[in-house]
């Protein structure tokens, strides 16, 4: 029996987690055999990726210094071992399970309202896109946060390549569907595959970024290899992992969490400390890997950059 002292930031996490209902159901099904789900190797480095990543030689990439942080970077071992990736399991400990994700071959479809639908292999896409490193904050809706050096490219570069038609208003993104590799996808009460969406104004905003690496290396599977969105002014669930499809549309996409629980999760999901989640406050956040709790900022500290996107949308549910 593993006995271990919880770090302080883990305790409220397990009580506050929005998905607790679902996890509890799963634990009941398992006869509580797991006991408390702990980060078995919290201090240890995660296992090496099971599959060699052919993009490794691209990293590290040059840091773009325009993106600064107000706090220290989260230690790599925490950001790469405390993860949400429901395709694999609904604990925060997905490192081992996620190594089953085959990251090559991997191709990305670009379709919908575009000049020319296409499918592009990830390594060809990486060769075309302007790679850089950016330091971003990340604020999970469950009230924990981290600060991470992502490598990747601005989403607007992919949008420019796709040439959306004039009527396109939204970008819909989809995660892989592979229930053999990702057992969470065998759980039929979830609306798989994971979907997220942005308006085109958001998708072409300078801060919207596609991460393909982190800490100067290719993304580990558990962080959403080989490519995932990072939209740091929004709650973390918007930052969809392991994307296989970008579709341009004139319909607002229905995202995964909204489909599951629209009363708690919406389309916009902008960070706002003054708008509580129906089940907990969003005023503060636990800083991953530390004992600190700090005040959450409007738009996660990116209000100067992004508030303008929402000035004509005040009747929308912008903060859930
Ligand atoms: N496909 C997919 N994307 C996902 C998730 C997920 O379960 N599946 N979880 C989201 C949530 S809730 C968060 S907080 C971030 C976590 O990213 P990280 O594990 O790299 O910290 O991924 C987001 N993207
Ligand atoms: Mo999250």
């Amino acid at each position: 029996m593993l006995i271990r002292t919880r770090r302080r930031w883990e305790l409220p996490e397990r009580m506050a987690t929005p998905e607790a209902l679902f996890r509890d159901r799963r634990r009941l099904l398992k006869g509580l055999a797991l006991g408390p789900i702990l980060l078995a190797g919290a201090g240890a480095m995660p296992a090496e990726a099971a599959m060699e990543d052919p993009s490794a030689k691209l990293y590290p990439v040059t840091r773009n210094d325009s993106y600064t942080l107000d706090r220290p970077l989260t230690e790599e071992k925490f950001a790469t071992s405390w993860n949400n990736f429901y395709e694999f399991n609904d604990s925060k400990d997905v490192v081992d399970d996620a190594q089953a994700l085959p990251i090559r071959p991997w191709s990305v479809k670009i379709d919908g309202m575009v000049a020319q639908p296409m499918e592009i292999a990830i390594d060809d896409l990486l060769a075309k896109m302007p790679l850089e490193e950016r330091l971003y904050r990340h604020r999970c809706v469950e009230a924990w946060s981290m600060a991470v050096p992502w490598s990747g490219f601005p989403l607007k570069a992919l949008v420019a390549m796709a040439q959306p038609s004039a009527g396109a208003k939204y970008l819909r993104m989809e995660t892989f569907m592979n229930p053999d590799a990702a057992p969470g996808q065998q759980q039929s009460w979830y609306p798989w595959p994971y979907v997220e969406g942005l308006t085109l104004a958001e998708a072409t905003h300078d801060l919207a970024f596609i991460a393909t690496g982190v800490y100067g290396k290719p993304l580990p599977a558990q962080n959403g290899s080989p490519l995932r969105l990072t939209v740091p002014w929004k709650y973390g669930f918007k930052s969809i992992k392991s994307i296989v499809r970008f579709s341009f549309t004139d319909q607002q996409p229905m995202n995964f969490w909204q489909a599951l629980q629209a009363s708690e999760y919406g389309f916009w999901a902008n960070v706002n400390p003054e708008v509580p989640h129906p089940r907990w406050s969003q005023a503060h956040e636990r800083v991953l890997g530390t004992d600190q709790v700090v005040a959450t900022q409007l738009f996660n500290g990116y209000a100067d950059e992004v508030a303008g996107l929402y000035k004509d949308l005040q009747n929308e549910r912008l903060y859930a």
Side-chain angles (χ1 to χ4, degrees):
M1 177 66 192
L2 175 68
I3 303 200
R4 157 179 183 278
T5 314
R6 278 185 190 147
R7 280 159 209 274
R8 185 136 46 101
W9 47 262
E10 288 178 35
L11 187 63
E13 169 65 27
R14 295 195 28 76
M15 293 160 62
T17 184
E19 299 84 19
L21 293 171
F22 301 96
R23 179 192 300 161
D24 285 352
R25 161 154 41 172
R26 184 161 174 259
R27 288 180 63 200
L28 274 175
L29 290 173
K30 287 197 164 182
L32 297 173
L34 290 180
I37 300 168
L38 296 173
L39 270 178
M45 289 299 290
E48 285 302 310
M51 195 181 279
E52 187 79 20
D53 192 319
S55 70
K57 57 187 181 307
L58 299 176
Y59 305 96
V61 294
T62 308
R63 181 174 295 176
N64 181 336
D65 288 316
S66 348
Y67 305 91
T68 52
L69 294 174
D70 57 351
R71 60 192 69 179
L73 279 176
T74 301
E75 273 183 72
E76 179 177 356
K77 68 183 179 194
F78 293 111
T80 58
S81 69
W82 171 267
N83 303 101
N84 272 328
F85 208 161
Y86 277 69
E87 283 80 348
F88 293 99
N89 69 58
D90 54 9
S91 78
K92 299 291 181 270
D93 184 5
V94 303
V95 173
D96 289 344
D97 290 354
Q99 306 314 310
L101 177 67
I103 55 165
R104 294 294 186 288
W106 190 280
S107 61
V108 169
K109 273 201 187 86
I110 299 177
D111 64 7
M113 303 174 73
V114 292
Q116 184 70 58
M118 64 172 109
E119 183 157 353
I120 181 164
I122 181 68
D123 295 300
D124 296 336
L125 182 65
L126 289 171
K128 271 189 204 294
M129 292 289 124
L131 298 182
E132 63 181 47
E133 183 180 73
R134 296 184 180 187
L135 310 184
Y136 274 179
R137 292 185 289 274
H138 173 100
R139 171 53 159 86
C140 176
V141 74
E142 299 163 338
W144 56 267
S145 69
M146 59 182 185
V148 174
W150 300 112
S151 307
F153 56 86
L155 179 55
K156 65 182 176 191
L158 183 142
V159 174
M161 180 180 82
Q163 295 181 264
S165 42
K169 293 197 175 70
Y170 299 94
L171 176 58
R172 177 185 185 278
M173 288 152 281
E174 203 177 282
T175 297
F176 68 86
M177 187 68 196
N178 183 350
D180 291 335
Q185 292 188 324
Q186 293 166 17
Q187 297 177 323
S188 57
W189 59 87
Y190 289 114
W192 306 114
Y194 201 99
V195 167
E196 261 306 336
L198 297 172
T199 64
L200 275 200
E202 293 174 326
T204 53
H205 189 280
D206 188 50
L207 277 175
F209 196 63
I210 294 292
T212 58
V214 71
Y215 296 97
K217 289 171 277 192
L219 278 182
Q222 63 272 19
N223 292 96
S225 181
L227 77 169
R228 58 89 59 81
L229 180 67
T230 55
V231 276
W233 71 97
K234 292 180 176 283
Y235 290 117
F237 67 84
K238 296 293 294 182
S239 290
I240 179 174
K241 293 177 167 177
S242 303
I243 302 170
V244 294
R245 187 172 173 201
F246 294 86
S247 306
F248 292 84
T249 163
D250 55 4
Q251 304 292 313
Q252 190 177 99
M254 170 62 70
N255 56 335
F256 178 87
W257 287 108
Q258 189 184 7
L260 199 60
Q261 204 129 324
S263 59
E264 303 193 350
Y265 309 103
F267 172 77
W268 299 99
N270 295 309
V271 174
N272 187 336
E274 288 175 9
V275 179
H277 182 279
R279 289 183 280 128
W280 59 86
S281 163
Q282 294 292 23
H284 295 92
E285 61 203 50
R286 298 179 310 286
V287 181
L288 187 63
T290 76
D291 284 336
Q292 288 168 2
V293 173
V294 300
T296 291
Q297 303 170 64
L298 182 62
F299 293 110
N300 199 23
Y302 297 100
D304 287 350
E305 290 91 335
V306 300
L309 288 170
Y310 307 103
K311 61 180 191 317
D312 298 327
L313 293 167
Q314 293 311 314
N315 295 327
E316 296 278 323
R317 224 173 126 224
L318 290 174
Y319 306 106

